[in-house]
Amino acid sequence: MCPDCEDFARTVLLLGQLALYADMAGADLDFVDVVSPSLAMSLPEPPPDTFPDDSDPAEDF
């Protein structure tokens, strides 16, 4: 596995777990609001072939 692949996968997993936590009753939403942007910004460049060559994530918004 490429060096950034493991970091990318781990960070995506953490973001998913944070999203699940945010949906739980009694979740500390202040924690989620503080941690989620930092975690998202820490994502390394996606591994090669993660997305199709013709995809443009900016078009989704």
Side-chain angles (χ1 to χ4, degrees):
M1 182 180 275
C2 68
D4 288 339
C5 295
E6 186 176 341
D7 289 341
F8 184 81
R10 185 181 318 117
T11 305
V12 169
L13 177 66
L14 287 170
L15 282 167
Q17 290 174 334
L18 188 61
L20 291 173
Y21 170 72
D23 285 338
M24 291 176 50
D28 182 351
L29 298 181
D30 289 334
F31 172 79
V32 174
D33 288 343
V34 169
V35 172
S36 56
S38 300
L39 194 54
M41 290 301 296
S42 74
L43 274 170
E45 190 71 27
D49 300 323
T50 301
F51 302 105
D53 289 335
D54 60 345
S55 69
D56 183 1
E59 290 179 2
D60 293 338
F61 295 102

